[in-house]
Amino acid sequence: MAESRALSSRGGNRRMSIGWLLSSQGAPADPPSAPLPSAPPPSAPPPDVPTTAGVLTRTMVRSPVVKWILPAQIRHKDKDDVAFIGESYIEIKEFSIGHHLQSVATKADFDSRIRAARIFGEERKRRPPSKRLDSGGFKLTVEPEPDYTPVDIDGCSNLQLPPQMLVVSLQAGPRDSLVFLFAHHDRLANINFVSSMRPLPAGSGEAARLGAHIAVDPRSRAMAVAAQSGQLMIYLLKSRDAMCREIRGRSGSYSENFKPIKQERLLDLNSTILKMEFLHSPDDKAHRHAAVLALLIRPLGKSDQARTYLRYVELDCSRDLSEIDFRWRGFPLPNYESVPMLLVPLTISTGVLLACRDRVYMYQDLLSGYSSPIEVRCDHAALDEASSAVGDSSGIPGVFPLFTGWARPPRHTGHSTVVESLYLCREDGAVVFYELRPDGHLIEHFPGCLGVSVDTAFACLDLSTQAWRNPENDHGSFDVLVIAGDKGDGGLFEFKTRKNGLPRIQGFRNWSPLLDCAVVPRLTASVGIDTRNIPYPRTIANQDRIFTCADRGSRLGTICEMRFGADAQSSFQVRLDSLPASLNIPTASITKVWLFPDLDLEEPRDYVQSRKDKAVVLVSLPERSEAFKISWEGELFNIPQYSRTEKLINRSCSTIAASTTRNHLAVQVTEDSLRAIGTSWADGTPARFFEHSFATQRVGQASIDGYSSMCLVSLRAPSASVLKLGYLANSEQQAGFLVKDDASLTLRCESASVFLTTFGSSVVGLVGTTDQRITAYECKSGKPSFICEYAFTGDTAICESICVIARPGNRAPGQAANVLCGLRNGTVHVLSFDVSDTASRGLTCLESLNIASTAVSIVPELVSQSKLDTLPSRAIVLHDNYLCRLFYRAGDANQITVQCVWITHPEFRGLQQTSIKGLAQYPPWNGAESAFRRAFLCMDERFAKLVRLDGDVQSIAVPRRIDIPGKPVRMTYLSQVERLAVGFLYSIPARVASNGVDRKPKRLVFPVIKLVDPDDDGMPTPDETESKSADPVNLPTGCHPLGLSGEKILGMCEWVPTSNGLTWPLLAVNTLRLRDKEGRESGCIYIFHLERRPEGRIEATLKKRLSQEQPIYAMAPLGLDSLVYSAGAELIVQRLSFLDDVLRFVPVARVALRSPARHITTAGPDVYVSTVKHSVTLFGLEGSSLVEKFNDHKERSVIHHLFIPERSLLVASDTSGSVRGLRRPKEGSIDGGFQQIFKASFPVNINRFRVASFNPRRGSMGKSARQEIVGSASDGSFYSFEFLNPDEWRFLCFVQNLARKYPEICPFNYQDHLESQSEPNIQDSNMHIDGDILARIFEHGNAQATEFLRSITTLDPRTDLDYVSAEECKERFSELAEAVLPGAAEQNLYEASIVYLRSKLQIDI
């Protein structure tokens, strides 16, 4: 066997690692603490230090930065999709009912940076409103809709090639490529992407690399791809019909036959390309095949290279590219247009619109020759006024923010050819709307300011497929703008023509740029905090909280608490104290809430009308009920007297249950009666009313099944509890609550909960009783008959809430389901129940979830029903002040996922969840669609909120923001006073000179410190005191100005020195300041004393200001009473002494550094220093001197580091995007240098390391997170780091090497790894295991993950240099897996490996 492994199948010698040779020839296994076989002999670490062989990294949180937003129908002609393009991912969102963009799919396996993106395909045309005339008297013509013939896509013949597709340019190392892709649904309704890759020619330098710009002809006949300088590639594209014919006529997979490019030609322009767009060519016979490409360029190597030129060329798309003579025409732009920000093609002519810093110009009819510029009025004063209204104005007169984005609103063809409609947006969010006509007539409107920073991600959505977007209805006359970017939150905004204001209807989270982060320790460790009353679930309370400095895009910055789970965005929140006084609803006494359709309408409603309609809110109180109406916009109304709604509501008793039914009844069950009324808007159904009295019996619990129109009630009789089942009839023959004579059943004890639901062809009632049991009854026949029961164990295990959800993969009627039982002790039991199996119709416990310490309430998530006759797939758990969601992920039916739900509001970013009193859902049995159907009504102690919960079950970041009156740059957590110290820059306009001399406009920026309560909502609180120093800039209460204007905060830390047995909680802040007019820099350290007063407020007093002649770049506490800091290129230690409450510094030691320090940490007497040029150096404080012990012997610009004492390992990040693991040598080592263990590469620089129990990948409450090393980057991404022992590294490296050769895992670069080794090879770069690649194995569920793992270990041996056969590769996998999983049986090795990988990667399927 050894001989066969030593030889390749091609008869030559093979490359193999020493470790593989030793293991394959029977060498003894490495002990757990031994170094790797082929590693050089390092200095031995202490005996108790485990051996670190490699590192496993995983993206915990993806960057929220969005570069482009492209509305496109890339799935289907009936889907209003929007593509959000990030740095290395594409997220598809769908505009759904209720003004909401819902995430439907994400593609993040490019393993490359996306440089540019565009949409190509059929030109999207809107149908005009019948045969009316528009405002200008132009007749509109109706164009037929294109015929989208179904195409066979990977064996799914019922799918269609979408009207539009996406093209992106990728940059992966030295290789560039174009990727064409679209999405489609497979037979299981999963969204899959189909892609085709086209390599780009290599450029001679970074600026000459193609892919910086992409432009597509409006009719998608041609495409241009350009570099930043020099090269331009022209492509001719195939028509959609041609692509369909090729797909049908060729064998092979769809991806292999999807080739959109017909021809290509490379051009050399010898210019710097600034902007590039295809223009709209004339719609006449002479220009039928013409495509016009326009460029903004600056010539290279000329004296006037600062001058900008507009160049354009006309090419005939019907000819071969090699035959076309590219004759460029154009002219230089006027000097005042030297820096155009935007190049916008016009639709009313073959022209362009140029947006410069302070002017907007238009050039028309470029094909007719030189066109003189036509100035387009742009009132920046009006834009500044709109911007200042939301606090985003620069405040500097004469300095205008730049135009950064443009969007063309969707208009029907007849309108767009005679009127040019455009939105232009500045970087401060101010928006201007233009309507231009060919005769120069201009209509200018200023909708307002978006209140967010706008970069290039700005678009106007095309919602022509929405039913409510009917052009004949005036309610649809509005545009929807969508904004995202790299600074601050984005959002969805609605603009109605001729009306001011841009209301935000949805927010998009963005916490970048991330400059600093702090860890607030787990809540159970906080002093004086009762975890039963915190706004987090019990298991979430065992996790650390991470706060970041973020949102520097607007004038006011924020700090963010990084929460994860489901984002329940509130469209409005109404204060309950604004309810009509006649209602008198004590919010603290609310027990339950229900949501009804408006019963007082006279006819069926379409969706447009329902937006203006109302819903009925029914509130149950301890001894009565109240009701009111609420509109979609958040207005509250009394219920009119003598109305149908008023007739239904019984206000004298507490409401037990309420709902609507499929046979058009609205039902209310109170303690003594059942009332029902027919919904008058049901077609042909009269509004009947009936009431059923329960006489002397009192209703304890009740449940209404709307699908079967049946009601199950539990009555408290004098002698025993009785279960009664009845049918809610609503027909001409009979109406009422029909109960059979024998439809009552006596219970052996009192009931605690009742639930009635339809299981396909069965109707089942579930009853929880006080003897800690749950019993199932068959109810379809009209009489409850016993099926089975289940007994709970434990203290107070009484089932008080019941819900039924579909079991994964079995959502057809009559199949199995899972019963969720909320117990009084706070646990949720998941029981398996199968009605269709008559032989074993029992309840079996699958798992138990420890959610809370007291009773929880469970309700089905009705919107998750695929059809009315199916069970919902998700449930909502409500407990006091938090929500969570229960569901099964696709492909994993063995473990339920518990996902936190966070209620947010676009305008109230610091919203904290308070005690939730009730949660109501709009019933699905109305027949008419409504925006309320997709929302929840949530009522707490102060507000009624209408929240929208995405159907996407992937956990996302849901940051909570605390406003800061400036730009936050540094932060740290103060454990002694349980506050966050935030350093920010506060800016004010400079004062005008008193002598009347004009000065250049500028702003003064001051460094400020503010103490923030982590649970604060951003408003000033009484426990924060004003600064003890003079306040020259009129700061808000609780802020502490540090020094002079222009001074920068470089760092801060908590310092708790001890002197004479007393502990002094201090905050130290180090800064950089300009010392004199020549620009020489100096530094300062500010020491604040922190004190908690008896009344609870925190007082911060400036105790010491330590000035230095060099900037203080970094500092850290040392020992009990010393501080070490870097002043310029010198490391200084000073000891703190206390004398009569006065702080004094005593010099101890100093030493010169090779370059200034950027980060300092201490461990005992050791000082670790990261420098800007010379990597990391370790100093030891010995007496009165600092002695250099070890250094890295490398010239690296290190940003941050973290020392892990238990592994004697230093983790350091540098400016090249690398993270290195450096092992500290043993004391007395001759070499004196750190040994590099691993090197991990990232697309961005890691600027902070933190240690925290932080697991956002789960976003759930299933398990407490383990302690991890967390790295954060400036783009908002977070990465986890886990160290591996030799056996773990060998196994994971082997799986990773094989996975990289698999097209389904690495579709865009797998060919680069086909000839690489699969056997683990000990090199610094190979010691990094990329967990993101391994996690792709699980993308299609747990079962398919096992098959994936089998597939990648049986690759074609011709693509592997290490193994002769697939069987040999499989055998090697078994050897490595058994070393990691010694107890796993050989036949279950793949299943055990999947369990191991899932645990290692912390994946919820």
Side-chain angles (χ1 to χ4, degrees), residues 759 762 764 778 787 814-817 833-838 841:
F759 279 66
S762 301
V764 176
E778 173 64 62
I787 299 177
Q815 297 281 323
F833 184 51
D834 193 341
V835 178
S836 61
D837 188 0
T838 57
R841 300 173 71 181

mmCIF file of all heavy atoms in Angstrom, residues 759 762 764 778 787 814-817 833-838 841:
data_model
loop_
_atom_site.group_PDB
_atom_site.id
_atom_site.type_symbol
_atom_site.label_atom_id
_atom_site.label_comp_id
_atom_site.label_asym_id
_atom_site.label_seq_id
_atom_site.Cartn_x
_atom_site.Cartn_y
_atom_site.Cartn_z
ATOM 1 N N PHE A 759 -55.747 19.575 10.412
ATOM 2 C CA PHE A 759 -54.649 18.765 9.898
ATOM 3 C C PHE A 759 -55.119 18.145 8.587
ATOM 4 O O PHE A 759 -55.618 17.024 8.563
ATOM 5 C CB PHE A 759 -54.303 17.646 10.877
ATOM 6 C CG PHE A 759 -53.441 18.036 12.033
ATOM 7 C CD1 PHE A 759 -53.897 18.905 12.990
ATOM 8 C CD2 PHE A 759 -52.164 17.532 12.157
ATOM 9 C CE1 PHE A 759 -53.113 19.251 14.063
ATOM 10 C CE2 PHE A 759 -51.371 17.876 13.221
ATOM 11 C CZ PHE A 759 -51.843 18.746 14.185
ATOM 12 N N SER A 762 -58.304 16.306 8.758
ATOM 13 C CA SER A 762 -58.688 16.116 10.155
ATOM 14 C C SER A 762 -58.719 17.459 10.873
ATOM 15 O O SER A 762 -57.983 18.384 10.526
ATOM 16 C CB SER A 762 -57.709 15.178 10.874
ATOM 17 O OG SER A 762 -57.650 13.924 10.243
ATOM 18 N N VAL A 764 -58.248 18.698 14.773
ATOM 19 C CA VAL A 764 -57.712 18.174 16.022
ATOM 20 C C VAL A 764 -57.757 19.262 17.080
ATOM 21 O O VAL A 764 -57.383 20.415 16.823
ATOM 22 C CB VAL A 764 -56.268 17.654 15.836
ATOM 23 C CG1 VAL A 764 -55.684 17.198 17.159
ATOM 24 C CG2 VAL A 764 -56.243 16.518 14.827
ATOM 25 N N GLU A 778 -59.891 14.124 18.374
ATOM 26 C CA GLU A 778 -60.382 14.223 17.005
ATOM 27 C C GLU A 778 -61.719 14.971 17.040
ATOM 28 O O GLU A 778 -62.640 14.596 17.779
ATOM 29 C CB GLU A 778 -60.561 12.828 16.410
ATOM 30 C CG GLU A 778 -61.232 12.833 15.044
ATOM 31 C CD GLU A 778 -60.428 13.539 13.989
ATOM 32 O OE1 GLU A 778 -59.301 13.080 13.709
ATOM 33 O OE2 GLU A 778 -60.907 14.563 13.477
ATOM 34 N N ILE A 787 -57.686 10.853 21.299
ATOM 35 C CA ILE A 787 -56.672 10.252 20.426
ATOM 36 C C ILE A 787 -55.500 9.752 21.262
ATOM 37 O O ILE A 787 -55.153 8.575 21.246
ATOM 38 C CB ILE A 787 -56.176 11.258 19.367
ATOM 39 C CG1 ILE A 787 -57.308 11.724 18.464
ATOM 40 C CG2 ILE A 787 -55.057 10.642 18.538
ATOM 41 C CD1 ILE A 787 -56.884 12.775 17.433
ATOM 42 N N GLY A 814 -52.783 16.178 5.900
ATOM 43 C CA GLY A 814 -52.826 14.822 6.417
ATOM 44 C C GLY A 814 -51.497 14.272 6.864
ATOM 45 O O GLY A 814 -51.413 13.108 7.232
ATOM 46 N N GLN A 815 -50.451 15.064 6.827
ATOM 47 C CA GLN A 815 -49.131 14.586 7.202
ATOM 48 C C GLN A 815 -48.842 14.937 8.658
ATOM 49 O O GLN A 815 -49.681 15.485 9.372
ATOM 50 C CB GLN A 815 -48.085 15.219 6.278
ATOM 51 C CG GLN A 815 -48.234 14.835 4.827
ATOM 52 C CD GLN A 815 -47.664 13.466 4.528
ATOM 53 O OE1 GLN A 815 -46.659 13.079 5.080
ATOM 54 N NE2 GLN A 815 -48.315 12.727 3.648
ATOM 55 N N ALA A 816 -47.599 14.632 9.101
ATOM 56 C CA ALA A 816 -47.224 14.846 10.489
ATOM 57 C C ALA A 816 -46.964 16.318 10.761
ATOM 58 O O ALA A 816 -46.730 17.109 9.854
ATOM 59 C CB ALA A 816 -45.982 14.020 10.816
ATOM 60 N N ALA A 817 -47.018 16.653 12.037
ATOM 61 C CA ALA A 817 -46.770 18.024 12.470
ATOM 62 C C ALA A 817 -46.081 17.969 13.821
ATOM 63 O O ALA A 817 -45.971 16.913 14.458
ATOM 64 C CB ALA A 817 -48.074 18.808 12.549
ATOM 65 N N PHE A 833 -46.370 14.704 16.347
ATOM 66 C CA PHE A 833 -47.749 14.224 16.300
ATOM 67 C C PHE A 833 -48.113 13.912 14.856
ATOM 68 O O PHE A 833 -47.922 14.744 13.972
ATOM 69 C CB PHE A 833 -48.685 15.285 16.875
ATOM 70 C CG PHE A 833 -50.122 14.855 16.950
ATOM 71 C CD1 PHE A 833 -50.462 13.652 17.545
ATOM 72 C CD2 PHE A 833 -51.131 15.645 16.434
ATOM 73 C CE1 PHE A 833 -51.789 13.250 17.635
ATOM 74 C CE2 PHE A 833 -52.451 15.253 16.511
ATOM 75 C CZ PHE A 833 -52.788 14.049 17.118
ATOM 76 N N ASP A 834 -48.616 12.707 14.618
ATOM 77 C CA ASP A 834 -48.975 12.275 13.271
ATOM 78 C C ASP A 834 -50.418 11.793 13.290
ATOM 79 O O ASP A 834 -50.746 10.754 13.864
ATOM 80 C CB ASP A 834 -48.047 11.146 12.803
ATOM 81 C CG ASP A 834 -48.168 10.884 11.307
ATOM 82 O OD1 ASP A 834 -49.185 11.299 10.721
ATOM 83 O OD2 ASP A 834 -47.250 10.269 10.750
ATOM 84 N N VAL A 835 -51.292 12.586 12.652
ATOM 85 C CA VAL A 835 -52.708 12.237 12.625
ATOM 86 C C VAL A 835 -52.989 11.166 11.592
ATOM 87 O O VAL A 835 -53.852 10.306 11.774
ATOM 88 C CB VAL A 835 -53.552 13.499 12.335
ATOM 89 C CG1 VAL A 835 -55.024 13.152 12.246
ATOM 90 C CG2 VAL A 835 -53.321 14.530 13.411
ATOM 91 N N SER A 836 -52.249 11.192 10.479
ATOM 92 C CA SER A 836 -52.545 10.266 9.387
ATOM 93 C C SER A 836 -52.218 8.823 9.730
ATOM 94 O O SER A 836 -52.789 7.897 9.165
ATOM 95 C CB SER A 836 -51.781 10.686 8.126
ATOM 96 O OG SER A 836 -50.387 10.660 8.376
ATOM 97 N N ASP A 837 -51.280 8.606 10.655
ATOM 98 C CA ASP A 837 -50.890 7.243 11.034
ATOM 99 C C ASP A 837 -51.817 6.751 12.140
ATOM 100 O O ASP A 837 -51.613 7.016 13.322
ATOM 101 C CB ASP A 837 -49.427 7.240 11.504
ATOM 102 C CG ASP A 837 -48.908 5.827 11.721
ATOM 103 O OD1 ASP A 837 -49.684 4.871 11.515
ATOM 104 O OD2 ASP A 837 -47.738 5.699 12.104
ATOM 105 N N THR A 838 -52.853 6.034 11.784
ATOM 106 C CA THR A 838 -53.848 5.568 12.759
ATOM 107 C C THR A 838 -53.286 4.523 13.705
ATOM 108 O O THR A 838 -53.817 4.312 14.796
ATOM 109 C CB THR A 838 -55.072 4.999 12.025
ATOM 110 O OG1 THR A 838 -54.640 3.944 11.157
ATOM 111 C CG2 THR A 838 -55.750 6.075 11.192
ATOM 112 N N ARG A 841 -50.899 6.921 16.611
ATOM 113 C CA ARG A 841 -51.255 8.337 16.733
ATOM 114 C C ARG A 841 -50.929 8.794 18.144
ATOM 115 O O ARG A 841 -51.809 8.920 18.999
ATOM 116 C CB ARG A 841 -52.729 8.533 16.406
ATOM 117 C CG ARG A 841 -53.081 8.092 14.986
ATOM 118 C CD ARG A 841 -54.566 8.132 14.737
ATOM 119 N NE ARG A 841 -55.084 9.476 14.660
ATOM 120 C CZ ARG A 841 -56.369 9.770 14.459
ATOM 121 N NH1 ARG A 841 -57.250 8.794 14.303
ATOM 122 N NH2 ARG A 841 -56.766 11.005 14.403
#
